[in-house]
PDB file of all heavy atoms in Angstrom:
ATOM      1  N   ASN A   1       8.398   2.083   3.180  1.00 76.00           N
ATOM      2  CA  ASN A   1       8.887   1.872   1.809  1.00 76.00           C
ATOM      3  C   ASN A   1       7.997   0.851   1.109  1.00 76.00           C
ATOM      4  O   ASN A   1       7.708  -0.203   1.659  1.00 76.00           O
ATOM      5  CB  ASN A   1      10.341   1.383   1.833  1.00 76.00           C
ATOM      6  CG  ASN A   1      10.975   1.440   0.441  1.00 76.00           C
ATOM      7  OD1 ASN A   1      10.282   1.604  -0.561  1.00 76.00           O
ATOM      8  ND2 ASN A   1      12.292   1.319   0.398  1.00 76.00           N
ATOM      9  N   ARG A   2       7.559   1.183  -0.115  1.00 70.00           N
ATOM     10  CA  ARG A   2       6.681   0.284  -0.863  1.00 70.00           C
ATOM     11  C   ARG A   2       7.331  -0.174  -2.165  1.00 70.00           C
ATOM     12  O   ARG A   2       6.637  -0.446  -3.122  1.00 70.00           O
ATOM     13  CB  ARG A   2       5.358   0.989  -1.191  1.00 70.00           C
ATOM     14  CG  ARG A   2       4.359   1.031  -0.035  1.00 70.00           C
ATOM     15  CD  ARG A   2       3.064   1.651  -0.503  1.00 70.00           C
ATOM     16  NE  ARG A   2       2.036   1.601   0.514  1.00 70.00           N
ATOM     17  CZ  ARG A   2       1.193   0.602   0.682  1.00 70.00           C
ATOM     18  NH1 ARG A   2       1.253  -0.445  -0.113  1.00 70.00           N
ATOM     19  NH2 ARG A   2       0.281   0.650   1.631  1.00 70.00           N
ATOM     20  N   ASN A   3       8.625  -0.287  -2.215  1.00 69.00           N
ATOM     21  CA  ASN A   3       9.282  -0.683  -3.461  1.00 69.00           C
ATOM     22  C   ASN A   3       8.997  -2.145  -3.792  1.00 69.00           C
ATOM     23  O   ASN A   3       7.853  -2.538  -3.986  1.00 69.00           O
ATOM     24  CB  ASN A   3      10.784  -0.412  -3.377  1.00 69.00           C
ATOM     25  CG  ASN A   3      11.071   1.087  -3.461  1.00 69.00           C
ATOM     26  OD1 ASN A   3      10.252   1.857  -3.941  1.00 69.00           O
ATOM     27  ND2 ASN A   3      12.237   1.493  -2.979  1.00 69.00           N
ATOM     28  N   HIS A   4      10.009  -2.952  -3.880  1.00 63.00           N
ATOM     29  CA  HIS A   4       9.808  -4.355  -4.248  1.00 63.00           C
ATOM     30  C   HIS A   4       9.129  -5.142  -3.123  1.00 63.00           C
ATOM     31  O   HIS A   4       8.417  -6.107  -3.376  1.00 63.00           O
ATOM     32  CB  HIS A   4      11.154  -5.001  -4.609  1.00 63.00           C
ATOM     33  CG  HIS A   4      11.816  -4.343  -5.785  1.00 63.00           C
ATOM     34  ND1 HIS A   4      11.304  -4.399  -7.068  1.00 63.00           N
ATOM     35  CD2 HIS A   4      12.935  -3.586  -5.865  1.00 63.00           C
ATOM     36  CE1 HIS A   4      12.070  -3.708  -7.896  1.00 63.00           C
ATOM     37  NE2 HIS A   4      13.087  -3.205  -7.189  1.00 63.00           N
ATOM     38  N   SER A   5       9.370  -4.750  -1.903  1.00 66.00           N
ATOM     39  CA  SER A   5       8.715  -5.389  -0.772  1.00 66.00           C
ATOM     40  C   SER A   5       8.358  -4.305   0.250  1.00 66.00           C
ATOM     41  O   SER A   5       9.009  -3.264   0.308  1.00 66.00           O
ATOM     42  CB  SER A   5       9.632  -6.435  -0.124  1.00 66.00           C
ATOM     43  OG  SER A   5      10.807  -5.820   0.357  1.00 66.00           O
ATOM     44  N   LEU A   6       7.330  -4.595   1.004  1.00 71.00           N
ATOM     45  CA  LEU A   6       6.904  -3.622   2.012  1.00 71.00           C
ATOM     46  C   LEU A   6       7.924  -3.563   3.145  1.00 71.00           C
ATOM     47  O   LEU A   6       8.331  -4.589   3.697  1.00 71.00           O
ATOM     48  CB  LEU A   6       5.540  -4.004   2.579  1.00 71.00           C
ATOM     49  CG  LEU A   6       4.331  -3.762   1.670  1.00 71.00           C
ATOM     50  CD1 LEU A   6       3.059  -4.225   2.363  1.00 71.00           C
ATOM     51  CD2 LEU A   6       4.217  -2.293   1.304  1.00 71.00           C
ATOM     52  N   GLU A   7       8.336  -2.350   3.471  1.00 77.00           N
ATOM     53  CA  GLU A   7       9.244  -2.163   4.593  1.00 77.00           C
ATOM     54  C   GLU A   7       8.582  -1.220   5.595  1.00 77.00           C
ATOM     55  O   GLU A   7       7.832  -0.314   5.221  1.00 77.00           O
ATOM     56  CB  GLU A   7      10.575  -1.566   4.130  1.00 77.00           C
ATOM     57  CG  GLU A   7      11.345  -2.468   3.169  1.00 77.00           C
ATOM     58  CD  GLU A   7      12.615  -1.811   2.686  1.00 77.00           C
ATOM     59  OE1 GLU A   7      12.951  -0.719   3.192  1.00 77.00           O
ATOM     60  OE2 GLU A   7      13.286  -2.394   1.817  1.00 77.00           O
ATOM     61  N   GLY A   8       8.857  -1.444   6.861  1.00 80.00           N
ATOM     62  CA  GLY A   8       8.285  -0.602   7.896  1.00 80.00           C
ATOM     63  C   GLY A   8       8.715  -1.067   9.262  1.00 80.00           C
ATOM     64  O   GLY A   8       9.664  -1.838   9.419  1.00 80.00           O
ATOM     65  N   HIS A   9       7.998  -0.617  10.276  1.00 80.00           N
ATOM     66  CA  HIS A   9       8.331  -0.995  11.644  1.00 80.00           C
ATOM     67  C   HIS A   9       7.074  -0.957  12.509  1.00 80.00           C
ATOM     68  O   HIS A   9       6.112  -0.256  12.216  1.00 80.00           O
ATOM     69  CB  HIS A   9       9.394  -0.042  12.226  1.00 80.00           C
ATOM     70  CG  HIS A   9       8.952   1.384  12.272  1.00 80.00           C
ATOM     71  ND1 HIS A   9       9.151   2.259  11.221  1.00 80.00           N
ATOM     72  CD2 HIS A   9       8.293   2.109  13.239  1.00 80.00           C
ATOM     73  CE1 HIS A   9       8.656   3.453  11.532  1.00 80.00           C
ATOM     74  NE2 HIS A   9       8.119   3.387  12.741  1.00 80.00           N
ATOM     75  N   TRP A  10       7.110  -1.752  13.571  1.00 84.00           N
ATOM     76  CA  TRP A  10       6.016  -1.791  14.527  1.00 84.00           C
ATOM     77  C   TRP A  10       6.113  -0.631  15.499  1.00 84.00           C
ATOM     78  O   TRP A  10       7.202  -0.207  15.882  1.00 84.00           O
ATOM     79  CB  TRP A  10       6.041  -3.091  15.333  1.00 84.00           C
ATOM     80  CG  TRP A  10       5.614  -4.316  14.612  1.00 84.00           C
ATOM     81  CD1 TRP A  10       6.397  -5.367  14.241  1.00 84.00           C
ATOM     82  CD2 TRP A  10       4.284  -4.648  14.188  1.00 84.00           C
ATOM     83  NE1 TRP A  10       5.652  -6.336  13.612  1.00 84.00           N
ATOM     84  CE2 TRP A  10       4.341  -5.914  13.574  1.00 84.00           C
ATOM     85  CE3 TRP A  10       3.050  -4.000  14.273  1.00 84.00           C
ATOM     86  CZ2 TRP A  10       3.224  -6.546  13.044  1.00 84.00           C
ATOM     87  CZ3 TRP A  10       1.937  -4.620  13.745  1.00 84.00           C
ATOM     88  CH2 TRP A  10       2.024  -5.869  13.141  1.00 84.00           C
ATOM     89  N   GLU A  11       4.966  -0.122  15.896  1.00 85.00           N
ATOM     90  CA  GLU A  11       4.882   0.862  16.968  1.00 85.00           C
ATOM     91  C   GLU A  11       3.755   0.461  17.911  1.00 85.00           C
ATOM     92  O   GLU A  11       2.801  -0.206  17.507  1.00 85.00           O
ATOM     93  CB  GLU A  11       4.584   2.271  16.417  1.00 85.00           C
ATOM     94  CG  GLU A  11       5.722   2.880  15.621  1.00 85.00           C
ATOM     95  CD  GLU A  11       5.397   4.310  15.174  1.00 85.00           C
ATOM     96  OE1 GLU A  11       4.246   4.760  15.428  1.00 85.00           O
ATOM     97  OE2 GLU A  11       6.274   4.950  14.582  1.00 85.00           O
ATOM     98  N   VAL A  12       3.894   0.883  19.161  1.00 85.00           N
ATOM     99  CA  VAL A  12       2.778   0.725  20.099  1.00 85.00           C
ATOM    100  C   VAL A  12       1.711   1.742  19.733  1.00 85.00           C
ATOM    101  O   VAL A  12       2.007   2.912  19.481  1.00 85.00           O
ATOM    102  CB  VAL A  12       3.253   0.932  21.548  1.00 85.00           C
ATOM    103  CG1 VAL A  12       2.086   0.827  22.517  1.00 85.00           C
ATOM    104  CG2 VAL A  12       4.320  -0.092  21.903  1.00 85.00           C
ATOM    105  N   ALA A  13       0.476   1.299  19.682  1.00 75.00           N
ATOM    106  CA  ALA A  13      -0.597   2.181  19.198  1.00 75.00           C
ATOM    107  C   ALA A  13      -0.837   3.357  20.130  1.00 75.00           C
ATOM    108  O   ALA A  13      -1.268   4.416  19.684  1.00 75.00           O
ATOM    109  CB  ALA A  13      -1.878   1.374  19.009  1.00 75.00           C
ATOM    110  N   TYR A  14      -0.537   3.179  21.442  1.00 70.00           N
ATOM    111  CA  TYR A  14      -0.845   4.239  22.396  1.00 70.00           C
ATOM    112  C   TYR A  14       0.397   4.571  23.191  1.00 70.00           C
ATOM    113  O   TYR A  14       1.037   3.696  23.757  1.00 70.00           O
ATOM    114  CB  TYR A  14      -1.999   3.806  23.320  1.00 70.00           C
ATOM    115  CG  TYR A  14      -3.206   3.457  22.503  1.00 70.00           C
ATOM    116  CD1 TYR A  14      -3.480   2.133  22.192  1.00 70.00           C
ATOM    117  CD2 TYR A  14      -4.017   4.453  21.981  1.00 70.00           C
ATOM    118  CE1 TYR A  14      -4.566   1.811  21.386  1.00 70.00           C
ATOM    119  CE2 TYR A  14      -5.092   4.139  21.178  1.00 70.00           C
ATOM    120  CZ  TYR A  14      -5.358   2.824  20.887  1.00 70.00           C
ATOM    121  OH  TYR A  14      -6.408   2.505  20.082  1.00 70.00           O
ATOM    122  N   LYS A  15       0.762   5.832  23.202  1.00 61.00           N
ATOM    123  CA  LYS A  15       1.999   6.257  23.832  1.00 61.00           C
ATOM    124  C   LYS A  15       1.996   5.983  25.331  1.00 61.00           C
ATOM    125  O   LYS A  15       3.036   5.943  25.961  1.00 61.00           O
ATOM    126  CB  LYS A  15       2.238   7.756  23.586  1.00 61.00           C
ATOM    127  CG  LYS A  15       2.269   8.124  22.107  1.00 61.00           C
ATOM    128  CD  LYS A  15       3.332   7.331  21.341  1.00 61.00           C
ATOM    129  CE  LYS A  15       3.338   7.706  19.868  1.00 61.00           C
ATOM    130  NZ  LYS A  15       4.275   6.874  19.090  1.00 61.00           N
ATOM    131  N   GLY A  16       0.803   5.804  25.897  1.00 54.00           N
ATOM    132  CA  GLY A  16       0.748   5.521  27.325  1.00 54.00           C
ATOM    133  C   GLY A  16       1.307   4.156  27.685  1.00 54.00           C
ATOM    134  O   GLY A  16       1.630   3.888  28.838  1.00 54.00           O
ATOM    135  N   SER A  17       1.406   3.253  26.711  1.00 57.00           N
ATOM    136  CA  SER A  17       1.944   1.923  26.978  1.00 57.00           C
ATOM    137  C   SER A  17       3.461   2.003  27.074  1.00 57.00           C
ATOM    138  O   SER A  17       4.113   2.574  26.204  1.00 57.00           O
ATOM    139  CB  SER A  17       1.542   0.953  25.864  1.00 57.00           C
ATOM    140  OG  SER A  17       0.142   0.884  25.754  1.00 57.00           O
ATOM    141  N   SER A  18       4.015   1.457  28.129  1.00 60.00           N
ATOM    142  CA  SER A  18       5.464   1.494  28.318  1.00 60.00           C
ATOM    143  C   SER A  18       5.974   0.085  28.602  1.00 60.00           C
ATOM    144  O   SER A  18       5.211  -0.816  28.955  1.00 60.00           O
ATOM    145  CB  SER A  18       5.831   2.425  29.478  1.00 60.00           C
ATOM    146  OG  SER A  18       5.222   1.974  30.673  1.00 60.00           O
ATOM    147  N   GLU A  19       7.255  -0.101  28.411  1.00 65.00           N
ATOM    148  CA  GLU A  19       7.908  -1.370  28.690  1.00 65.00           C
ATOM    149  C   GLU A  19       7.226  -2.542  27.965  1.00 65.00           C
ATOM    150  O   GLU A  19       6.915  -3.561  28.573  1.00 65.00           O
ATOM    151  CB  GLU A  19       7.942  -1.634  30.194  1.00 65.00           C
ATOM    152  CG  GLU A  19       8.715  -0.597  30.983  1.00 65.00           C
ATOM    153  CD  GLU A  19       8.754  -0.901  32.467  1.00 65.00           C
ATOM    154  OE1 GLU A  19       8.268  -1.987  32.842  1.00 65.00           O
ATOM    155  OE2 GLU A  19       9.264  -0.086  33.219  1.00 65.00           O
ATOM    156  N   VAL A  20       6.982  -2.376  26.693  1.00 72.00           N
ATOM    157  CA  VAL A  20       6.377  -3.453  25.913  1.00 72.00           C
ATOM    158  C   VAL A  20       7.380  -3.931  24.875  1.00 72.00           C
ATOM    159  O   VAL A  20       8.241  -3.181  24.437  1.00 72.00           O
ATOM    160  CB  VAL A  20       5.073  -2.992  25.214  1.00 72.00           C
ATOM    161  CG1 VAL A  20       4.069  -2.511  26.236  1.00 72.00           C
ATOM    162  CG2 VAL A  20       5.362  -1.916  24.195  1.00 72.00           C
ATOM    163  N   PHE A  21       7.258  -5.208  24.499  1.00 74.00           N
ATOM    164  CA  PHE A  21       8.090  -5.676  23.396  1.00 74.00           C
ATOM    165  C   PHE A  21       7.321  -5.508  22.094  1.00 74.00           C
ATOM    166  O   PHE A  21       6.085  -5.483  22.068  1.00 74.00           O
ATOM    167  CB  PHE A  21       8.541  -7.123  23.611  1.00 74.00           C
ATOM    168  CG  PHE A  21       7.459  -8.166  23.422  1.00 74.00           C
ATOM    169  CD1 PHE A  21       7.007  -8.522  22.158  1.00 74.00           C
ATOM    170  CD2 PHE A  21       6.911  -8.819  24.514  1.00 74.00           C
ATOM    171  CE1 PHE A  21       6.033  -9.482  21.984  1.00 74.00           C
ATOM    172  CE2 PHE A  21       5.938  -9.784  24.349  1.00 74.00           C
ATOM    173  CZ  PHE A  21       5.501 -10.120  23.085  1.00 74.00           C
ATOM    174  N   LEU A  22       8.043  -5.369  21.001  1.00 80.00           N
ATOM    175  CA  LEU A  22       7.433  -5.201  19.685  1.00 80.00           C
ATOM    176  C   LEU A  22       7.463  -6.528  18.943  1.00 80.00           C
ATOM    177  O   LEU A  22       8.399  -7.322  19.096  1.00 80.00           O
ATOM    178  CB  LEU A  22       8.178  -4.128  18.893  1.00 80.00           C
ATOM    179  CG  LEU A  22       8.126  -2.720  19.497  1.00 80.00           C
ATOM    180  CD1 LEU A  22       8.954  -1.753  18.665  1.00 80.00           C
ATOM    181  CD2 LEU A  22       6.693  -2.214  19.610  1.00 80.00           C
ATOM    182  N   PRO A  23       6.452  -6.798  18.123  1.00 81.00           N
ATOM    183  CA  PRO A  23       6.385  -8.070  17.402  1.00 81.00           C
ATOM    184  C   PRO A  23       7.504  -8.202  16.371  1.00 81.00           C
ATOM    185  O   PRO A  23       8.114  -7.208  15.957  1.00 81.00           O
ATOM    186  CB  PRO A  23       5.006  -8.013  16.716  1.00 81.00           C
ATOM    187  CG  PRO A  23       4.243  -6.970  17.465  1.00 81.00           C
ATOM    188  CD  PRO A  23       5.256  -5.974  17.927  1.00 81.00           C
ATOM    189  N   PRO A  24       7.775  -9.425  15.920  1.00 76.00           N
ATOM    190  CA  PRO A  24       8.713  -9.635  14.820  1.00 76.00           C
ATOM    191  C   PRO A  24       8.081  -9.223  13.493  1.00 76.00           C
ATOM    192  O   PRO A  24       6.953  -8.717  13.458  1.00 76.00           O
ATOM    193  CB  PRO A  24       8.975 -11.140  14.868  1.00 76.00           C
ATOM    194  CG  PRO A  24       7.722 -11.708  15.468  1.00 76.00           C
ATOM    195  CD  PRO A  24       7.232 -10.680  16.451  1.00 76.00           C
ATOM    196  N   ASP A  25       8.790  -9.420  12.399  1.00 79.00           N
ATOM    197  CA  ASP A  25       8.257  -9.072  11.081  1.00 79.00           C
ATOM    198  C   ASP A  25       6.922  -9.771  10.855  1.00 79.00           C
ATOM    199  O   ASP A  25       6.775 -10.963  11.150  1.00 79.00           O
ATOM    200  CB  ASP A  25       9.236  -9.475   9.988  1.00 79.00           C
ATOM    201  CG  ASP A  25      10.486  -8.608  10.004  1.00 79.00           C
ATOM    202  OD1 ASP A  25      10.416  -7.495  10.550  1.00 79.00           O
ATOM    203  OD2 ASP A  25      11.530  -9.054   9.479  1.00 79.00           O
ATOM    204  N   PRO A  26       5.945  -9.054  10.319  1.00 81.00           N
ATOM    205  CA  PRO A  26       4.595  -9.619  10.214  1.00 81.00           C
ATOM    206  C   PRO A  26       4.368 -10.373   8.913  1.00 81.00           C
ATOM    207  O   PRO A  26       5.141 -10.282   7.956  1.00 81.00           O
ATOM    208  CB  PRO A  26       3.723  -8.366  10.252  1.00 81.00           C
ATOM    209  CG  PRO A  26       4.551  -7.336   9.527  1.00 81.00           C
ATOM    210  CD  PRO A  26       5.980  -7.625   9.914  1.00 81.00           C
ATOM    211  N   ILE A  27       3.275 -11.115   8.901  1.00 82.00           N
ATOM    212  CA  ILE A  27       2.686 -11.609   7.664  1.00 82.00           C
ATOM    213  C   ILE A  27       1.683 -10.552   7.221  1.00 82.00           C
ATOM    214  O   ILE A  27       0.875 -10.080   8.024  1.00 82.00           O
ATOM    215  CB  ILE A  27       1.969 -12.953   7.901  1.00 82.00           C
ATOM    216  CG1 ILE A  27       2.959 -13.995   8.428  1.00 82.00           C
ATOM    217  CG2 ILE A  27       1.284 -13.439   6.622  1.00 82.00           C
ATOM    218  CD1 ILE A  27       2.279 -15.273   8.915  1.00 82.00           C
ATOM    219  N   PHE A  28       1.744 -10.163   5.955  1.00 79.00           N
ATOM    220  CA  PHE A  28       0.859  -9.094   5.501  1.00 79.00           C
ATOM    221  C   PHE A  28      -0.481  -9.668   5.076  1.00 79.00           C
ATOM    222  O   PHE A  28      -0.563 -10.695   4.399  1.00 79.00           O
ATOM    223  CB  PHE A  28       1.512  -8.316   4.363  1.00 79.00           C
ATOM    224  CG  PHE A  28       2.704  -7.516   4.808  1.00 79.00           C
ATOM    225  CD1 PHE A  28       3.985  -7.973   4.572  1.00 79.00           C
ATOM    226  CD2 PHE A  28       2.538  -6.332   5.511  1.00 79.00           C
ATOM    227  CE1 PHE A  28       5.092  -7.258   5.004  1.00 79.00           C
ATOM    228  CE2 PHE A  28       3.628  -5.609   5.951  1.00 79.00           C
ATOM    229  CZ  PHE A  28       4.917  -6.077   5.706  1.00 79.00           C
ATOM    230  N   GLY A  29      -1.544  -8.990   5.493  1.00 71.00           N
ATOM    231  CA  GLY A  29      -2.891  -9.460   5.204  1.00 71.00           C
ATOM    232  C   GLY A  29      -3.239  -9.345   3.740  1.00 71.00           C
ATOM    233  O   GLY A  29      -2.559  -8.694   2.942  1.00 71.00           O
ATOM    234  N   THR A  30      -4.343  -9.987   3.397  1.00 66.00           N
ATOM    235  CA  THR A  30      -4.756 -10.030   1.995  1.00 66.00           C
ATOM    236  C   THR A  30      -5.624  -8.849   1.605  1.00 66.00           C
ATOM    237  O   THR A  30      -5.883  -8.634   0.426  1.00 66.00           O
ATOM    238  CB  THR A  30      -5.544 -11.331   1.731  1.00 66.00           C
ATOM    239  OG1 THR A  30      -6.652 -11.381   2.633  1.00 66.00           O
ATOM    240  CG2 THR A  30      -4.651 -12.543   1.964  1.00 66.00           C
ATOM    241  N   ALA A  31      -6.083  -8.079   2.572  1.00 59.00           N
ATOM    242  CA  ALA A  31      -7.026  -7.000   2.274  1.00 59.00           C
ATOM    243  C   ALA A  31      -6.348  -5.632   2.324  1.00 59.00           C
ATOM    244  O   ALA A  31      -6.954  -4.644   2.667  1.00 59.00           O
ATOM    245  CB  ALA A  31      -8.190  -7.038   3.268  1.00 59.00           C
ATOM    246  N   MET A  32      -5.076  -5.589   1.959  1.00 62.00           N
ATOM    247  CA  MET A  32      -4.333  -4.335   2.040  1.00 62.00           C
ATOM    248  C   MET A  32      -4.694  -3.402   0.892  1.00 62.00           C
ATOM    249  O   MET A  32      -5.020  -3.828  -0.205  1.00 62.00           O
ATOM    250  CB  MET A  32      -2.827  -4.605   2.012  1.00 62.00           C
ATOM    251  CG  MET A  32      -2.300  -5.179   3.303  1.00 62.00           C
ATOM    252  SD  MET A  32      -0.572  -5.628   3.190  1.00 62.00           S
ATOM    253  CE  MET A  32       0.024  -4.438   2.020  1.00 62.00           C
ATOM    254  N   SER A  33      -4.617  -2.117   1.175  1.00 62.00           N
ATOM    255  CA  SER A  33      -4.832  -1.090   0.167  1.00 62.00           C
ATOM    256  C   SER A  33      -3.511  -0.387  -0.099  1.00 62.00           C
ATOM    257  O   SER A  33      -2.707  -0.178   0.818  1.00 62.00           O
ATOM    258  CB  SER A  33      -5.885  -0.080   0.655  1.00 62.00           C
ATOM    259  OG  SER A  33      -5.874   1.069  -0.167  1.00 62.00           O
ATOM    260  N   GLU A  34      -3.268  -0.027  -1.338  1.00 66.00           N
ATOM    261  CA  GLU A  34      -2.018   0.654  -1.673  1.00 66.00           C
ATOM    262  C   GLU A  34      -1.954   2.055  -1.071  1.00 66.00           C
ATOM    263  O   GLU A  34      -0.882   2.647  -0.982  1.00 66.00           O
ATOM    264  CB  GLU A  34      -1.863   0.734  -3.194  1.00 66.00           C
ATOM    265  CG  GLU A  34      -1.672  -0.628  -3.851  1.00 66.00           C
ATOM    266  CD  GLU A  34      -1.418  -0.504  -5.343  1.00 66.00           C
ATOM    267  OE1 GLU A  34      -1.375   0.651  -5.826  1.00 66.00           O
ATOM    268  OE2 GLU A  34      -1.257  -1.534  -6.007  1.00 66.00           O
ATOM    269  N   LYS A  35      -3.085   2.579  -0.654  1.00 70.00           N
ATOM    270  CA  LYS A  35      -3.103   3.924  -0.085  1.00 70.00           C
ATOM    271  C   LYS A  35      -2.805   3.928   1.418  1.00 70.00           C
ATOM    272  O   LYS A  35      -2.513   4.976   1.983  1.00 70.00           O
ATOM    273  CB  LYS A  35      -4.477   4.564  -0.335  1.00 70.00           C
ATOM    274  CG  LYS A  35      -4.810   4.749  -1.809  1.00 70.00           C
ATOM    275  CD  LYS A  35      -6.187   5.376  -1.973  1.00 70.00           C
ATOM    276  CE  LYS A  35      -6.544   5.531  -3.453  1.00 70.00           C
ATOM    277  NZ  LYS A  35      -7.891   6.133  -3.621  1.00 70.00           N
ATOM    278  N   GLU A  36      -2.904   2.784   2.029  1.00 73.00           N
ATOM    279  CA  GLU A  36      -2.725   2.736   3.479  1.00 73.00           C
ATOM    280  C   GLU A  36      -1.242   2.754   3.830  1.00 73.00           C
ATOM    281  O   GLU A  36      -0.455   1.974   3.304  1.00 73.00           O
ATOM    282  CB  GLU A  36      -3.369   1.472   4.053  1.00 73.00           C
ATOM    283  CG  GLU A  36      -4.876   1.403   3.893  1.00 73.00           C
ATOM    284  CD  GLU A  36      -5.602   2.431   4.746  1.00 73.00           C
ATOM    285  OE1 GLU A  36      -4.999   2.909   5.719  1.00 73.00           O
ATOM    286  OE2 GLU A  36      -6.754   2.748   4.433  1.00 73.00           O
ATOM    287  N   ASN A  37      -0.868   3.650   4.731  1.00 83.00           N
ATOM    288  CA  ASN A  37       0.502   3.696   5.233  1.00 83.00           C
ATOM    289  C   ASN A  37       0.635   3.124   6.640  1.00 83.00           C
ATOM    290  O   ASN A  37       1.738   2.992   7.147  1.00 83.00           O
ATOM    291  CB  ASN A  37       1.026   5.145   5.231  1.00 83.00           C
ATOM    292  CG  ASN A  37       1.217   5.670   3.816  1.00 83.00           C
ATOM    293  OD1 ASN A  37       1.655   4.936   2.931  1.00 83.00           O
ATOM    294  ND2 ASN A  37       0.854   6.926   3.609  1.00 83.00           N
ATOM    295  N   VAL A  38      -0.497   2.821   7.253  1.00 88.00           N
ATOM    296  CA  VAL A  38      -0.499   2.223   8.583  1.00 88.00           C
ATOM    297  C   VAL A  38      -1.390   0.986   8.554  1.00 88.00           C
ATOM    298  O   VAL A  38      -2.531   1.049   8.099  1.00 88.00           O
ATOM    299  CB  VAL A  38      -1.005   3.210   9.651  1.00 88.00           C
ATOM    300  CG1 VAL A  38      -1.115   2.521  11.006  1.00 88.00           C
ATOM    301  CG2 VAL A  38      -0.085   4.417   9.749  1.00 88.00           C
ATOM    302  N   LEU A  39      -0.841  -0.140   9.006  1.00 90.00           N
ATOM    303  CA  LEU A  39      -1.598  -1.377   9.141  1.00 90.00           C
ATOM    304  C   LEU A  39      -1.716  -1.709  10.630  1.00 90.00           C
ATOM    305  O   LEU A  39      -0.945  -1.215  11.444  1.00 90.00           O
ATOM    306  CB  LEU A  39      -0.904  -2.520   8.397  1.00 90.00           C
ATOM    307  CG  LEU A  39      -0.683  -2.283   6.890  1.00 90.00           C
ATOM    308  CD1 LEU A  39       0.143  -3.414   6.295  1.00 90.00           C
ATOM    309  CD2 LEU A  39      -2.016  -2.165   6.167  1.00 90.00           C
ATOM    310  N   CYS A  40      -2.689  -2.531  10.976  1.00 92.00           N
ATOM    311  CA  CYS A  40      -2.952  -2.831  12.380  1.00 92.00           C
ATOM    312  C   CYS A  40      -2.652  -4.297  12.686  1.00 92.00           C
ATOM    313  O   CYS A  40      -2.760  -5.159  11.819  1.00 92.00           O
ATOM    314  CB  CYS A  40      -4.404  -2.502  12.726  1.00 92.00           C
ATOM    315  SG  CYS A  40      -4.756  -0.726  12.632  1.00 92.00           S
ATOM    316  N   ALA A  41      -2.282  -4.545  13.924  1.00 92.00           N
ATOM    317  CA  ALA A  41      -1.759  -5.857  14.314  1.00 92.00           C
ATOM    318  C   ALA A  41      -2.872  -6.825  14.684  1.00 92.00           C
ATOM    319  O   ALA A  41      -3.790  -6.489  15.434  1.00 92.00           O
ATOM    320  CB  ALA A  41      -0.802  -5.699  15.487  1.00 92.00           C
ATOM    321  N   GLN A  42      -2.755  -8.029  14.149  1.00 92.00           N
ATOM    322  CA  GLN A  42      -3.582  -9.149  14.569  1.00 92.00           C
ATOM    323  C   GLN A  42      -2.669 -10.258  15.079  1.00 92.00           C
ATOM    324  O   GLN A  42      -1.695 -10.621  14.422  1.00 92.00           O
ATOM    325  CB  GLN A  42      -4.433  -9.685  13.418  1.00 92.00           C
ATOM    326  CG  GLN A  42      -5.621  -8.826  13.066  1.00 92.00           C
ATOM    327  CD  GLN A  42      -6.496  -9.459  12.003  1.00 92.00           C
ATOM    328  OE1 GLN A  42      -6.069 -10.383  11.307  1.00 92.00           O
ATOM    329  NE2 GLN A  42      -7.713  -8.983  11.870  1.00 92.00           N
ATOM    330  N   LEU A  43      -2.989 -10.760  16.260  1.00 91.00           N
ATOM    331  CA  LEU A  43      -2.288 -11.911  16.815  1.00 91.00           C
ATOM    332  C   LEU A  43      -3.076 -13.162  16.474  1.00 91.00           C
ATOM    333  O   LEU A  43      -4.274 -13.235  16.742  1.00 91.00           O
ATOM    334  CB  LEU A  43      -2.152 -11.762  18.332  1.00 91.00           C
ATOM    335  CG  LEU A  43      -1.541 -12.953  19.077  1.00 91.00           C
ATOM    336  CD1 LEU A  43      -0.097 -13.176  18.660  1.00 91.00           C
ATOM    337  CD2 LEU A  43      -1.647 -12.739  20.586  1.00 91.00           C
ATOM    338  N   GLN A  44      -2.408 -14.127  15.875  1.00 86.00           N
ATOM    339  CA  GLN A  44      -3.064 -15.393  15.538  1.00 86.00           C
ATOM    340  C   GLN A  44      -2.624 -16.465  16.519  1.00 86.00           C
ATOM    341  O   GLN A  44      -1.441 -16.687  16.732  1.00 86.00           O
ATOM    342  CB  GLN A  44      -2.693 -15.846  14.129  1.00 86.00           C
ATOM    343  CG  GLN A  44      -3.238 -17.238  13.789  1.00 86.00           C
ATOM    344  CD  GLN A  44      -2.724 -17.739  12.454  1.00 86.00           C
ATOM    345  OE1 GLN A  44      -3.052 -17.184  11.415  1.00 86.00           O
ATOM    346  NE2 GLN A  44      -1.907 -18.777  12.486  1.00 86.00           N
TER     347      GLN A  44
END
């Protein structure tokens, strides 16, 4: 959802990964494009 705020959910990038925890709500990067529906995770 791209209404007033970005809404979405984390997924594991590769289905082969099992028994993993998912991150909490992210901080959104500054280089986002309005056309992108998938963003990638960075751990700081």
Side-chain angles (χ1 to χ4, degrees):
N1 192 347
R2 280 184 174 271
N3 287 339
H4 299 293
S5 61
L6 286 179
E7 297 177 6
H9 60 271
W10 286 111
E11 291 183 356
V12 178
Y14 303 98
K15 303 303 180 185
S17 301
S18 60
E19 299 181 6
V20 301
F21 73 75
L22 297 177
D25 290 339
I27 301 170
F28 292 101
T30 57
M32 286 175 31
S33 167
E34 293 184 1
K35 297 180 181 180
E36 296 291 339
N37 291 321
V38 175
L39 302 174
C40 294
Q42 284 185 343
L43 175 64
Q44 174 187 293

